[in-house]
């Protein structure tokens, strides 16, 4: 009888011992795709499209940015991502397809708060490309400016047509960087990371809001270039506007 | 009897003439040779890449072609060996001279048939850092992929890979080299892919990071001259008192390129289909990318004239004049190309600064020269 009890006990230990580790969520980890689309007042942005901006017209040619500490309900699921939307300018179709950044190993479940930093977070911004491999998001030397000792958090470039004759007279270029212009984006949105397959979060970025998102139209004509990290007035304003240009769908 | 001797002499002469004819490789390609190589040791030594200087990123190697000393040695031999051209007159090195930072200093390169291409030979210095955007139009992602193309290009080496494989398989020295690099058991296992892999391994070792600029900026030894410093300040827009030459947006250190495709205004185009060379657009089919080319490195720029994808500018002075003018109009000209307002002296200062990017330690590196 003792032997039977002993065998039963050992069997039970064996059965429970072979069970899943209650802390092991690896089977619930899924891919979350972040899809970014550029729009201007709701219209897809392409390189040769003229957009009305008060008394002038704008064309966009380049848009890139870093995001840091992408979090769901306060849990960081991606430390850094570099989003280069250059390929989206080539056609309406490409613009509507957007640029996707995939985050692996996100715990399946329901979430209601999304937050991320626009730019490179302070600890990572103390590093530079020489500390990474060439294919790392932070290894692009073209996105780091040694003069600022900072990554270039965002680049927005294009042309402006002040006399509305269809031929842009001037270009504009706004490059932002350095810790003081880092912005945090908080969005309230119910999302579900599916337990089967991958899920997608759609973001629209309204480029018009970069210039007038604060209700005060930015004077592109008089300040057509800004990449000066010693004067943060323009950088702060445009980066703050950019943070408010994100909408989750 | 005399006639018979004459006939024999004529016959022998004909055989010798044909035998010496470099065009004989037009003959049907024979089977690969099958030299057994198992008696040769296969014990490759992994190559350790050292950054050109502390400012560079870490180089990434493809998992299926990590460099070994034996692979690099083989790649270097093949790079300099005219065996890759149909008439055995040209090698990779014919258009990529170490002394010219691995360009050929011609506006456009000439192949074995005397035919010229439409684009200038690109520098191979720091080539491993320029993946995945190789060639002026970015049509190759890896050095392995790039190395496959010139051999069969009629404007370049105009050979066939089948013939190259056959020739190499019958060369006992190369067969052993391939064994030591890749562990093949028989010479008939020599393929174009292995040739490309070895050349790519060699090309990844070509590094330049020891210029005067590097010594001053990364090793903190010495100072720029007044005119070099002026040039640097305008290049990088470091001083508000001097004009912004806007160079650094596209030519960012340590690679001195932003690795983007851009239209720098060298051609006037009424519409997107008006460019003489479609560049990146010709690869992707996207018209908005027509007339755009990869931004080249400025490292060793003083050694790599003429300039631009078609070598249209003979001197750096002409290049500076172009950018100072704001370039020609076209629908997708880059926003950064605008009149700069530089004086003659300021342009000279920028050129003087550009000369600090010359790295003769690299161009004279014995490991980069011909092994023959």
């Amino acid at each position: 009888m003792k032997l039977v009890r002993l065998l039963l006990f050992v069997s039970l230990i064996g059965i429970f011992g072979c069970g899943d580790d209650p802390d092991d969520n690896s089977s619930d980890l899924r891919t979350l795709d972040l899809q970014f689309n550029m729009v201007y007042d709701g219209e897809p942005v392409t390189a040769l499209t003229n957009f009305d901006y008060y008394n002038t017209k704008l064309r966009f040619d380049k848009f890139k940015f870093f995001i840091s500490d992408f979090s769901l309900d306060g849990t960081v699921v991606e430390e850094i991502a570099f989003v280069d939307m250059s390929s989206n300018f080539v056609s309406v179709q490409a613009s509507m397809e957007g640029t996707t950044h995939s985050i692996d190993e996100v715990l399946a479940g329901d979430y209601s708060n999304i937050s991320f930093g626009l730019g490179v977070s302070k600890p990572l911004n103390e590093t530079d490309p020489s500390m990474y491999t060439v294919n790392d998001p932070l290894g692009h030397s073209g996105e780091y400016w040694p003069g600022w000792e900072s990554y270039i958090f965002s680049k927005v470039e294009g042309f402006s047509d002040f006399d509305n004759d269809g031929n842009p007279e001037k270009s504009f270029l706004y490059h932002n960087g350095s810790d003081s212009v880092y912005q945090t984006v908080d969005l309230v949105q119910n999302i579900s990371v599916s337990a089967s397959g991958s899920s997608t979060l759609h973001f629209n970025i309204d480029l018009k809001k970069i210039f007038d998102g604060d209700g005060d139209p930015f004077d592109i004509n008089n300040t057509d270039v800004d990449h000066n990290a010693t004067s943060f007035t323009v950088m702060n304003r445009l980066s703050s506007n950019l943070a408010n240009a994100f909408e989750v769908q | 009897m005399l006639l018979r001797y004459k006939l024999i002499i004529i016959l022998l002469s004909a055989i010798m003439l044909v035998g010496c004819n470099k065009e004989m490789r037009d003959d049907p390609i024979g089977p690969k040779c099958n030299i057994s190589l198992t008696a040769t040791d296969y014990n490759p030594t992994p190559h350790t890449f050292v950054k050109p200087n502390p400012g560079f990123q870490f180089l990434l190697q493809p998992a299926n072609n990590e460099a070994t000393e034996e692979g690099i040695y083989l790649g270097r031999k093949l790079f300099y060996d005219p065996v890759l051209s149909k008439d055995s007159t040209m090698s990779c090195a014919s258009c990529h001279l170490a002394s010219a930072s691995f360009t050929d200093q011609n506006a456009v390169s000439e192949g074995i048939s005397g035919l010229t291409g439409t684009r200038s030979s690109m520098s191979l210095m720091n080539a491993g850092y320029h993946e995945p955007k190789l060639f002026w139009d970015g049509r190759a992602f890896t050095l392995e992929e790039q190395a496959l193309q010139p051999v069969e290009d009629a404007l370049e080496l105009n050979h066939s890979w089948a013939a190259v494989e056959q020739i190499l398989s019958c060369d006992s020295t190369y067969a052993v080299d391939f064994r030591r690099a890749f562990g093949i058991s028989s010479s008939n296992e020599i393929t174009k892919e292995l040739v490309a892999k070895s050349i790519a391994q060699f090309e990844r070792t070509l590094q330049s990071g020891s210029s005067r600029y590097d010594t001053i900026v990364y090793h903190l030894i010495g100072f720029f001259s007044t005119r070099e410093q002026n040039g640097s300040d305008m290049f990088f827009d470091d001083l508000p008192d001097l004009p912004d030459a806007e160079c650094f947006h596209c030519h960012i250190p340590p690679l001195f390129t932003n690795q983007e495709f851009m239209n720098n205004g060298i051609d006037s185009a009424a519409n997107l289909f008006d460019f003489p060379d479609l560049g990146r657009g010709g690869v992707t089919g996207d018209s908005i990318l027509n007339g755009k080319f990869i931004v080249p490195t400025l490292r060793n720029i003083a050694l790599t004239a003429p300039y631009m994808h078609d070598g249209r500018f003979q001197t750096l002075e002409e290049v500076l004049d172009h950018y100072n003018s704001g370039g020609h109009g076209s629908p997708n000209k880059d926003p950064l190309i605008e009149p700069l307002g530089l004086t003659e002296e300021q342009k000279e200062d920028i050129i003087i600064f550009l000369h600090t990017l010359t790295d003769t330690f690299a161009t004279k590196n014995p490991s980069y020269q011909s092994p023959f």
Side-chain angles (χ1 to χ4, degrees):
Chain A
M1 193 61 184
K2 273 186 181 172
L3 181 63
V4 172
R5 279 183 185 164
L6 184 64
L7 282 172
L8 267 173
F9 182 65
V10 169
S11 302
L12 284 170
I13 289 174
I15 289 166
F16 286 107
C18 293
D20 290 338
D21 178 352
D23 293 330
D24 180 8
N25 296 317
S26 57
S27 61
D28 297 327
L29 297 177
R30 292 288 179 265
T31 299
L32 174 63
D33 291 330
L34 309 182
Q35 184 185 319
F36 299 95
N37 290 85
M38 296 178 293
V39 296
Y40 190 97
D41 253 355
E43 296 299 313
V45 175
T46 68
L48 294 182
T49 310
N50 291 313
F51 296 102
D52 290 328
Y53 180 73
Y54 299 92
N55 294 321
T56 187
K57 290 191 185 298
L58 303 181
R59 283 184 195 171
F60 293 88
D61 186 74
K62 184 180 289 182
F63 183 45
K64 304 175 173 188
F65 55 90
F66 282 96
I67 57 174
S68 297
D69 295 337
F70 188 90
S71 305
L72 297 175
D73 286 355
T75 301
V76 174
V77 295
E78 187 72 314
E79 191 178 24
I80 188 75
F82 175 61
V83 182
D84 180 356
M85 307 200 69
S86 302
S87 63
N88 296 159
F89 285 100
V90 300
S91 66
V92 172
Q93 183 186 342
S95 183
M96 293 178 73
E97 284 170 2
T99 294
T100 299
H101 176 81
S102 297
I103 305 175
D104 296 325
E105 300 189 351
V106 177
L107 191 60
D110 296 325
Y111 301 90
S112 57
N113 288 288
I114 301 161
S115 68
F116 56 91
L118 192 56
V120 177
S121 63
K122 193 171 189 309
L124 291 179
N125 203 33
E126 288 171 356
T127 68
D128 67 58
S130 71
M131 301 165 78
Y132 301 94
T133 54
V134 287
N135 67 334
D136 192 282
L138 296 172
H140 299 295
S141 53
E143 308 304 329
Y144 182 84
W145 184 229
W148 299 347
E149 294 185 336
S150 170
Y151 284 90
I152 303 168
F153 292 178
S154 66
K155 291 180 177 177
V156 183
E157 297 177 21
F159 302 91
S160 44
D161 175 12
F162 293 105
D163 57 11
N164 289 302
D165 67 350
N167 294 310
E169 292 82 29
K170 262 180 122 171
S171 59
F172 59 80
L173 175 149
Y174 306 104
H175 292 182
N176 269 332
S178 74
D179 293 339
S180 65
V181 299
Y182 185 77
Q183 302 285 328
T184 303
V185 179
D186 292 299
L187 299 166
V188 177
Q189 174 79 21
N190 290 323
I191 64 159
S192 180
V193 176
S194 168
S196 59
S198 61
S199 306
T200 303
L201 256 179
H202 297 269
F203 293 91
N204 274 354
I205 309 164
D206 189 342
L207 301 192
K208 184 168 185 279
K209 288 185 177 174
I210 295 173
F211 299 118
D212 71 355
D214 54 3
D216 178 17
F218 181 79
D219 188 349
I220 294 173
N221 190 18
N222 284 321
T223 310
D224 56 341
V225 173
D226 191 75
H227 53 75
N228 185 350
T230 57
S231 168
F232 295 107
T233 310
V234 173
M235 278 197 189
N236 274 323
R237 183 173 169 200
L238 295 182
S239 58
S240 174
N241 281 352
L242 176 56
N244 291 321
F246 281 77
E247 278 181 11
V248 64
Q249 300 296 297
Chain B
M1 193 65 182
L2 192 62
L3 185 64
R4 188 177 292 171
Y5 279 126
K6 279 183 179 173
L7 280 171
I8 290 170
I9 289 168
I10 289 168
L11 187 64
L12 283 173
S13 302
I15 290 170
M16 285 173 71
L17 276 173
V18 173
C20 292
N21 189 344
K22 287 169 181 169
E23 296 296 330
M24 69 180 292
R25 287 178 191 153
D26 277 339
D27 292 345
I29 300 160
K32 284 186 188 176
C33 295
N34 189 8
I35 303 169
S36 175
L37 298 166
T38 50
T40 301
D41 283 345
Y42 171 56
N43 187 22
T45 307
H47 177 77
T48 303
F49 281 97
V50 177
K51 296 201 289 185
N53 70 48
F56 278 71
Q57 306 99 311
F58 295 98
L59 195 62
L60 203 66
Q61 299 185 71
N64 66 352
N65 191 28
E66 293 189 358
T68 63
E69 299 304 332
E70 292 78 4
I72 293 166
Y73 171 75
L74 171 59
R76 182 177 162 200
K77 275 180 72 175
L78 289 165
F79 184 89
Y80 281 99
D81 194 335
V83 71
L84 296 186
S85 62
K86 186 176 182 179
D87 62 359
S88 294
T89 58
M90 291 184 73
S91 67
C92 306
S94 302
C95 296
H96 298 285
L97 306 161
S99 59
S101 196
F102 291 98
T103 67
D104 64 2
Q105 297 183 316
N106 292 316
V108 291
S109 300
E110 186 177 306
I112 62 162
S113 309
L115 299 173
T116 52
T118 57
R119 294 178 187 164
S120 190
S121 165
M122 296 193 81
S123 173
L124 297 179
M125 276 300 186
N126 300 320
Y129 284 95
H130 297 294
E131 296 173 290
K133 296 175 181 175
L134 302 171
F135 289 118
W136 284 101
D137 55 15
R139 67 183 182 275
F141 294 101
T142 66
L143 288 169
E144 286 79 0
E145 197 183 326
Q146 183 276 330
L148 287 172
Q149 297 195 22
V151 169
E152 292 194 328
D153 189 328
L155 300 177
E156 297 186 53
L157 304 179
N158 195 24
H159 212 338
S160 82
W161 272 114
V164 170
E165 289 175 351
Q166 193 270 336
I167 293 164
L168 293 175
S169 76
C170 297
D171 183 315
S172 57
T173 306
Y174 266 121
V176 168
D177 290 338
F178 274 93
R179 163 72 178 174
R180 288 182 173 143
F182 296 111
I184 59 173
S185 303
S186 164
S187 67
N188 66 7
E189 294 170 40
I190 293 174
T191 61
K192 62 181 181 181
E193 286 79 15
L194 291 183
V195 173
K197 279 186 171 185
S198 61
I199 292 174
Q201 287 189 28
F202 170 63
E203 289 177 336
R204 284 195 184 90
T205 68
L206 305 177
Q207 299 193 337
S208 172
S210 303
S211 65
R212 178 168 159 71
Y213 172 88
D214 297 305
T215 304
I216 294 168
V217 172
Y218 294 113
H219 296 292
L220 306 177
I221 298 171
F223 299 94
F224 290 123
S225 70
T226 303
R227 297 199 70 181
E228 287 169 347
Q229 188 64 56
N230 275 345
S232 173
D233 289 339
M234 288 182 281
F235 186 99
F236 292 112
D237 188 29
D238 278 343
L239 279 185
D241 296 342
L242 287 170
D244 180 359
E246 308 280 10
C247 313
F248 73 99
H249 293 292
C250 304
H251 298 286
I252 301 181
L255 298 174
F256 282 88
T257 165
N258 60 2
Q259 300 176 303
E260 292 187 18
F261 299 99
M262 304 180 97
N263 171 0
N264 64 347
I266 56 173
D267 284 312
S268 178
N271 60 60
L272 290 172
F273 302 95
D274 202 22
F275 293 100
D277 185 337
L278 297 184
R280 182 62 179 164
V283 174
T284 67
D286 298 311
S287 59
I288 191 65
L289 301 179
N290 288 351
K292 293 194 176 189
F293 296 88
I294 195 77
V295 173
T297 179
L298 295 186
R299 286 193 170 273
N300 296 303
I301 194 68
L303 304 177
T304 63
Y307 304 106
M308 305 295 151
H309 70 274
D310 54 5
R312 69 180 63 191
F313 297 137
Q314 298 301 310
T315 64
L316 287 171
E317 284 76 8
E318 289 178 38
V319 175
L320 264 290
D321 284 342
H322 161 70
Y323 286 119
N324 202 32
S325 74
H328 301 286
S330 57
N332 60 351
K333 186 178 80 167
D334 196 87
L336 287 162
I337 308 299
E338 295 236 291
L340 300 173
L342 301 172
T343 65
E344 289 301 315
E345 189 175 359
Q346 286 166 338
K347 285 189 288 184
E348 282 174 21
D349 286 353
I350 290 171
I351 291 170
I352 288 169
F353 168 69
L354 291 175
H355 278 262
T356 70
L357 298 174
T358 300
D359 178 3
T360 52
F361 290 104
T363 58
K364 293 179 181 174
N365 186 329
S367 301
Y368 301 168
Q369 315 302 321
S370 171
F372 299 111

